[in-house]
Amino acid sequence: MFIDFKLIGKRIKETRIQNNIKQSALAEKIDVSVPYISCIENGKKNVSFKVFLQIVNELGVTADELLYGNQLHDHTEYEIDIHLLLSDCTIMEKRRLYDIMYNIKKWIRNE
């Protein structure tokens, strides 16, 4: 079974940044080195299950949110990505993005 550790690392990095947590702070909280966190986020090292769970707990997310995209049968494809994309937007930005997505969806379906 293929596990996309680069994707997991990308999600860890995105979530860490959205939570305004520096690599050094995360590394200190879970007792690993900053270079190790960097390697995980860049997909250069595979995160261990133990460290993965520590990261999940420290970032305040579910394992599903970070593992998303690795399942063979995923009925919620892109929902977490969209949620993460919108998480730091203002109400006005969310409304504009919704309008854009709505119109693009109509355009795609009319083609």
Side-chain angles (χ1 to χ4, degrees):
M1 174 180 193
F2 174 75
I3 298 174
D4 191 344
F5 285 100
K6 285 185 180 187
L7 182 59
I8 293 169
K10 178 183 173 204
R11 293 197 191 292
I12 290 170
K13 182 176 182 176
E14 288 171 349
T15 306
R16 178 184 57 75
I17 290 170
Q18 286 175 353
N19 289 322
N20 294 315
I21 300 171
K22 295 184 181 219
Q23 280 184 340
S24 57
L26 179 59
E28 184 178 333
K29 292 268 190 175
I30 63 173
D31 197 29
V32 298
S33 70
V34 175
Y36 182 58
I37 294 293
S38 179
C39 286
I40 290 169
E41 290 183 351
N42 292 309
K44 294 179 181 173
K45 288 196 178 201
N46 297 347
V47 63
S48 71
F49 186 65
K50 177 184 175 188
V51 171
F52 177 76
L53 289 178
Q54 290 174 311
I55 290 171
V56 164
N57 289 326
E58 208 48 54
L59 294 179
V61 295
T62 66
D64 288 352
E65 289 178 82
L66 299 181
L67 290 172
Y68 176 75
N70 279 289
Q71 302 92 323
L72 294 177
H73 306 286
D74 189 359
H75 301 290
T76 61
E77 193 169 7
Y78 296 110
E79 286 181 18
I80 292 172
D81 288 326
I82 292 169
H83 173 74
L84 288 172
L85 182 68
L86 296 174
S87 67
D88 65 342
C89 292
T90 66
I91 296 294
M92 183 60 74
E93 291 169 333
K94 287 179 184 178
R95 181 63 199 181
R96 288 181 180 157
L97 288 168
Y98 168 81
D99 290 340
I100 291 167
M101 289 190 321
Y102 178 80
N103 286 314
I104 290 173
K105 179 181 169 184
K106 278 180 32 179
W107 177 76
I108 289 171
R109 291 188 172 175
N110 287 330
E111 292 279 324

Coordinates of all heavy atoms in Angstrom, one line a residue, residues 19-77:
N19 N -2.0 27.7 12.3 CA -2.1 27.9 13.7 C -1.0 28.8 14.3 O -0.9 28.9 15.5 CB -2.1 26.5 14.4 CG -3.3 25.7 14.2 OD1 -4.4 26.2 14.2 ND2 -3.2 24.4 14.0
N20 N -0.2 29.4 13.4 CA 0.8 30.3 13.8 C 1.8 29.6 14.8 O 2.2 30.2 15.8 CB 0.3 31.6 14.5 CG -0.5 32.4 13.4 OD1 0.0 32.6 12.3 ND2 -1.6 32.9 13.8
I21 N 2.2 28.4 14.5 CA 3.1 27.6 15.3 C 4.4 27.5 14.5 O 4.4 27.1 13.3 CB 2.6 26.2 15.7 CG1 1.3 26.4 16.5 CG2 3.6 25.4 16.4 CD1 0.6 25.1 16.7
K22 N 5.5 27.9 15.1 CA 6.8 27.8 14.4 C 7.3 26.3 14.5 O 6.9 25.6 15.4 CB 7.8 28.7 15.0 CG 7.5 30.1 14.8 CD 8.6 31.0 15.4 CE 8.1 32.5 15.2 NZ 9.2 33.3 14.8
Q23 N 8.1 25.9 13.5 CA 8.7 24.6 13.6 C 9.4 24.3 14.9 O 9.3 23.2 15.4 CB 9.7 24.4 12.4 CG 9.1 24.1 11.1 CD 10.1 23.8 10.0 OE1 11.3 24.2 10.1 NE2 9.7 23.2 9.0
S24 N 10.1 25.3 15.3 CA 10.9 25.1 16.6 C 10.0 24.9 17.8 O 10.3 24.1 18.7 CB 11.8 26.4 16.9 OG 11.0 27.5 16.9
A25 N 8.8 25.6 17.8 CA 7.9 25.4 18.9 C 7.2 24.0 18.9 O 7.1 23.3 19.9 CB 6.8 26.5 18.9
L26 N 6.9 23.6 17.7 CA 6.3 22.2 17.5 C 7.3 21.2 17.9 O 7.0 20.2 18.6 CB 5.8 22.0 16.1 CG 5.2 20.7 15.7 CD1 4.0 20.4 16.6 CD2 4.8 20.6 14.3
A27 N 8.5 21.3 17.4 CA 9.6 20.4 17.7 C 9.8 20.3 19.2 O 10.0 19.2 19.8 CB 10.9 20.8 17.0
E28 N 9.9 21.4 19.9 CA 10.1 21.4 21.3 C 8.9 20.7 22.1 O 9.2 19.9 23.0 CB 10.2 22.8 21.8 CG 10.6 22.9 23.3 CD 10.7 24.4 23.8 OE1 11.1 25.2 22.9 OE2 10.5 24.6 25.0
K29 N 7.7 21.0 21.6 CA 6.5 20.4 22.3 C 6.5 18.9 22.2 O 6.1 18.2 23.1 CB 5.2 21.0 21.7 CG 5.0 22.4 22.0 CD 4.2 22.6 23.3 CE 3.8 24.0 23.4 NZ 2.9 24.3 24.5
I30 N 7.0 18.3 21.1 CA 6.9 16.9 20.9 C 8.2 16.2 21.1 O 8.4 15.0 20.8 CB 6.2 16.5 19.6 CG1 7.0 17.0 18.4 CG2 4.8 17.0 19.5 CD1 6.5 16.5 17.0
D31 N 9.2 17.0 21.5 CA 10.6 16.5 21.8 C 11.3 15.8 20.6 O 11.7 14.7 20.7 CB 10.5 15.5 23.0 CG 11.9 15.3 23.6 OD1 12.7 16.2 23.6 OD2 12.1 14.2 24.2
V32 N 11.3 16.5 19.5 CA 12.1 16.1 18.3 C 12.9 17.3 17.8 O 12.6 18.5 18.3 CB 11.2 15.6 17.2 CG1 10.4 14.3 17.6 CG2 10.2 16.6 16.6
S33 N 13.8 17.1 16.9 CA 14.6 18.2 16.4 C 13.8 19.0 15.3 O 12.9 18.5 14.7 CB 15.9 17.7 15.8 OG 15.6 17.0 14.6
V34 N 14.2 20.3 15.2 CA 13.7 21.1 14.1 C 13.9 20.6 12.7 O 13.0 20.5 11.9 CB 14.2 22.6 14.3 CG1 13.7 23.5 13.1 CG2 13.7 23.2 15.6
P35 N 15.2 20.1 12.5 CA 15.4 19.5 11.2 C 14.5 18.3 10.9 O 14.1 18.1 9.7 CB 16.9 19.1 11.2 CG 17.5 20.0 12.2 CD 16.5 20.2 13.3
Y36 N 14.2 17.5 11.9 CA 13.3 16.4 11.7 C 11.9 16.9 11.3 O 11.3 16.3 10.4 CB 13.2 15.5 13.0 CG 12.4 14.3 12.8 CD1 12.6 13.3 11.9 CD2 11.3 14.1 13.7 CE1 11.8 12.2 11.8 CE2 10.5 12.9 13.6 CZ 10.8 12.0 12.6 OH 10.0 10.9 12.5
I37 N 11.4 17.9 11.9 CA 10.1 18.5 11.6 C 10.2 19.0 10.1 O 9.3 18.7 9.3 CB 9.7 19.6 12.5 CG1 9.4 19.1 13.9 CG2 8.4 20.4 12.0 CD1 8.2 18.2 14.0
S38 N 11.2 19.7 9.8 CA 11.4 20.2 8.4 C 11.4 19.0 7.4 O 10.8 19.1 6.3 CB 12.7 21.0 8.3 OG 12.9 21.4 7.0
C39 N 12.1 17.9 7.7 CA 12.2 16.8 6.8 C 10.8 16.1 6.6 O 10.5 15.7 5.5 CB 13.2 15.8 7.3 SG 14.9 16.3 7.0
I40 N 10.0 16.1 7.7 CA 8.7 15.5 7.6 C 7.8 16.4 6.7 O 7.2 15.9 5.8 CB 8.0 15.4 9.0 CG1 8.7 14.3 9.9 CG2 6.5 15.1 8.9 CD1 8.3 14.3 11.3
E41 N 7.9 17.7 7.0 CA 7.0 18.6 6.2 C 7.4 18.7 4.7 O 6.6 18.9 3.9 CB 7.1 20.0 6.8 CG 6.5 20.2 8.1 CD 6.5 21.6 8.7 OE1 7.2 22.4 8.2 OE2 5.8 21.8 9.7
N42 N 8.7 18.4 4.4 CA 9.1 18.4 3.0 C 9.1 17.1 2.4 O 9.5 16.9 1.2 CB 10.5 19.0 2.9 CG 10.5 20.5 3.3 OD1 9.7 21.3 2.7 ND2 11.3 20.9 4.2
G43 N 8.6 16.1 3.1 CA 8.5 14.7 2.6 C 9.8 14.0 2.4 O 9.9 13.0 1.7
K44 N 10.8 14.5 3.1 CA 12.2 13.8 3.0 C 12.3 12.7 4.0 O 13.2 11.8 3.8 CB 13.3 14.8 3.2 CG 13.3 15.9 2.1 CD 14.4 16.9 2.4 CE 14.4 17.9 1.2 NZ 15.3 19.0 1.5
K45 N 11.5 12.7 5.0 CA 11.5 11.6 6.0 C 10.0 11.2 6.3 O 9.2 12.0 6.3 CB 12.2 12.0 7.3 CG 13.6 12.1 7.2 CD 14.3 12.1 8.6 CE 15.8 12.2 8.4 NZ 16.5 11.7 9.5
N46 N 9.8 9.9 6.5 CA 8.5 9.4 6.8 C 8.3 9.6 8.3 O 9.1 9.2 9.1 CB 8.4 7.9 6.4 CG 8.5 7.7 4.9 OD1 8.4 8.6 4.2 ND2 8.6 6.5 4.5
V47 N 7.2 10.2 8.7 CA 6.9 10.4 10.1 C 6.5 9.1 10.7 O 5.7 8.3 10.1 CB 5.8 11.4 10.2 CG1 4.5 11.0 9.6 CG2 5.6 11.8 11.7
S48 N 7.0 8.8 11.9 CA 6.6 7.6 12.6 C 5.2 7.8 13.2 O 4.7 8.9 13.3 CB 7.5 7.3 13.8 OG 7.4 8.3 14.8
F49 N 4.5 6.7 13.5 CA 3.2 6.7 14.0 C 3.1 7.5 15.3 O 2.2 8.4 15.5 CB 2.6 5.3 14.2 CG 1.2 5.3 14.6 CD1 0.2 5.8 13.7 CD2 0.8 4.8 15.8 CE1 -1.2 5.7 14.1 CE2 -0.5 4.8 16.2 CZ -1.5 5.2 15.3
K50 N 4.1 7.3 16.2 CA 4.1 8.0 17.5 C 4.3 9.5 17.3 O 3.5 10.2 17.9 CB 5.3 7.4 18.3 CG 5.5 8.1 19.6 CD 6.7 7.6 20.4 CE 7.0 8.4 21.6 NZ 8.2 8.2 22.3
V51 N 5.2 9.9 16.5 CA 5.4 11.3 16.2 C 4.2 11.9 15.5 O 3.7 13.0 15.8 CB 6.7 11.6 15.4 CG1 6.8 13.0 15.0 CG2 7.9 11.2 16.3
F52 N 3.6 11.2 14.6 CA 2.4 11.6 13.9 C 1.3 11.9 14.9 O 0.6 13.0 14.8 CB 1.9 10.6 12.9 CG 0.7 10.9 12.2 CD1 0.6 11.9 11.2 CD2 -0.5 10.3 12.5 CE1 -0.5 12.2 10.5 CE2 -1.7 10.6 11.9 CZ -1.7 11.6 10.9
L53 N 1.0 11.0 15.8 CA 0.0 11.3 16.9 C 0.3 12.4 17.8 O -0.6 13.2 18.1 CB -0.2 10.0 17.7 CG -0.9 8.8 17.0 CD1 -1.0 7.6 17.9 CD2 -2.3 9.3 16.4
Q54 N 1.6 12.6 18.1 CA 2.0 13.8 18.9 C 1.7 15.1 18.1 O 1.2 16.1 18.7 CB 3.5 13.7 19.2 CG 3.8 12.6 20.2 CD 5.3 12.5 20.5 OE1 6.1 12.4 19.5 NE2 5.7 12.5 21.7
I55 N 2.0 15.1 16.8 CA 1.8 16.2 15.9 C 0.3 16.5 15.9 O -0.2 17.7 16.0 CB 2.4 16.0 14.5 CG1 3.9 16.1 14.6 CG2 1.8 17.1 13.6 CD1 4.6 15.7 13.3
V56 N -0.5 15.5 15.7 CA -2.0 15.6 15.6 C -2.5 16.3 16.9 O -3.3 17.3 16.8 CB -2.7 14.2 15.4 CG1 -4.1 14.3 15.7 CG2 -2.4 13.7 14.0
N57 N -2.1 15.8 18.0 CA -2.5 16.3 19.3 C -2.0 17.8 19.5 O -2.8 18.6 20.0 CB -2.0 15.5 20.4 CG -2.8 14.1 20.5 OD1 -3.9 14.1 20.1 ND2 -2.1 13.1 20.9
E58 N -0.8 18.1 19.1 CA -0.3 19.4 19.3 C -0.9 20.4 18.4 O -1.1 21.6 18.8 CB 1.3 19.4 19.1 CG 2.0 20.4 19.8 CD 1.7 20.5 21.3 OE1 1.7 19.5 22.1 OE2 1.4 21.6 21.7
L59 N -1.3 20.0 17.2 CA -1.9 20.9 16.2 C -3.4 21.0 16.4 O -4.1 21.9 15.8 CB -1.6 20.5 14.8 CG -0.1 20.6 14.3 CD1 0.0 20.1 12.9 CD2 0.4 22.0 14.5
G60 N -4.0 20.1 17.2 CA -5.4 20.2 17.5 C -6.3 19.8 16.4 O -7.3 20.4 16.1
V61 N -5.8 18.9 15.6 CA -6.6 18.4 14.4 C -6.8 16.9 14.6 O -6.2 16.2 15.5 CB -5.8 18.7 13.1 CG1 -5.7 20.2 12.8 CG2 -4.5 18.0 13.0
T62 N -7.6 16.3 13.7 CA -7.8 14.9 13.7 C -6.7 14.2 12.8 O -6.2 14.9 11.8 CB -9.2 14.5 13.2 OG1 -9.3 14.8 11.8 CG2 -10.2 15.1 14.1
A63 N -6.5 13.0 13.0 CA -5.6 12.2 12.1 C -6.1 12.2 10.7 O -5.4 12.3 9.7 CB -5.4 10.8 12.6
D64 N -7.4 12.2 10.5 CA -8.1 12.2 9.2 C -7.7 13.4 8.4 O -7.5 13.3 7.2 CB -9.6 12.1 9.4 CG -10.1 10.8 9.8 OD1 -9.3 9.8 9.9 OD2 -11.3 10.7 10.1
E65 N -7.6 14.6 9.1 CA -7.3 15.8 8.4 C -5.9 15.8 7.8 O -5.7 16.3 6.7 CB -7.4 17.0 9.3 CG -8.9 17.3 9.7 CD -9.0 18.5 10.7 OE1 -8.9 19.6 10.2 OE2 -9.1 18.2 11.9
L66 N -5.0 15.1 8.5 CA -3.6 15.1 7.9 C -3.4 13.9 7.0 O -2.6 13.9 6.1 CB -2.6 15.0 9.1 CG -2.6 16.2 10.1 CD1 -1.6 16.0 11.1 CD2 -2.4 17.5 9.3
L67 N -4.2 12.8 7.2 CA -4.1 11.7 6.3 C -4.9 11.8 5.0 O -4.7 11.0 4.1 CB -4.5 10.4 7.0 CG -3.6 9.9 8.2 CD1 -4.3 8.8 8.9 CD2 -2.3 9.5 7.6
Y68 N -5.8 12.8 5.0 CA -6.7 13.0 3.8 C -5.9 12.9 2.5 O -4.9 13.5 2.3 CB -7.4 14.3 4.0 CG -8.3 14.6 2.8 CD1 -9.5 14.0 2.6 CD2 -7.9 15.5 1.8 CE1 -10.3 14.2 1.5 CE2 -8.6 15.8 0.7 CZ -9.8 15.1 0.6 OH -10.6 15.4 -0.5
G69 N -6.4 12.2 1.6 CA -5.8 12.0 0.3 C -5.1 10.7 0.1 O -4.7 10.3 -1.0
N70 N -4.9 10.0 1.2 CA -4.3 8.7 1.2 C -5.2 7.5 1.1 O -4.8 6.4 0.9 CB -3.4 8.5 2.4 CG -2.0 9.2 2.2 OD1 -1.2 8.7 1.4 ND2 -1.8 10.3 2.9
Q71 N -6.5 7.7 1.2 CA -7.5 6.7 1.2 C -7.8 6.3 -0.3 O -7.8 7.2 -1.1 CB -8.8 7.1 1.9 CG -8.7 7.5 3.3 CD -8.4 9.0 3.5 OE1 -7.8 9.6 2.7 NE2 -9.0 9.5 4.6
L72 N -8.1 5.1 -0.5 CA -8.5 4.6 -1.8 C -9.9 5.1 -2.2 O -10.1 5.4 -3.3 CB -8.4 3.1 -1.9 CG -7.0 2.5 -1.8 CD1 -7.0 1.0 -1.9 CD2 -6.1 3.1 -2.9
H73 N -10.8 5.0 -1.2 CA -12.2 5.4 -1.5 C -12.5 6.6 -0.5 O -12.8 6.4 0.6 CB -13.1 4.2 -1.2 CG -12.7 3.0 -2.0 ND1 -12.8 2.9 -3.3 CD2 -12.0 1.9 -1.6 CE1 -12.4 1.7 -3.7 NE2 -11.9 1.1 -2.7
D74 N -12.5 7.7 -1.1 CA -12.7 8.9 -0.3 C -13.9 9.7 -0.8 O -13.8 10.3 -1.9 CB -11.4 9.8 -0.2 CG -11.5 10.9 0.8 OD1 -12.6 11.1 1.4 OD2 -10.5 11.6 0.9
H75 N -15.0 9.7 -0.1 CA -16.2 10.4 -0.6 C -16.1 11.9 -0.2 O -17.0 12.6 -0.6 CB -17.4 9.8 0.0 CG -17.5 8.3 -0.3 ND1 -17.8 7.9 -1.6 CD2 -17.3 7.2 0.4 CE1 -17.8 6.6 -1.7 NE2 -17.5 6.1 -0.5
T76 N -15.1 12.4 0.5 CA -15.1 13.8 0.9 C -13.9 14.4 0.2 O -13.3 15.4 0.8 CB -14.9 13.9 2.4 OG1 -13.8 13.2 2.9 CG2 -16.2 13.3 3.1
E77 N -13.5 14.0 -0.9 CA -12.4 14.5 -1.6 C -12.4 16.0 -1.7 O -13.4 16.6 -2.1 CB -12.3 13.9 -3.0 CG -11.0 14.1 -3.8 CD -11.0 13.3 -5.0 OE1 -12.0 12.6 -5.4 OE2 -9.9 13.3 -5.6

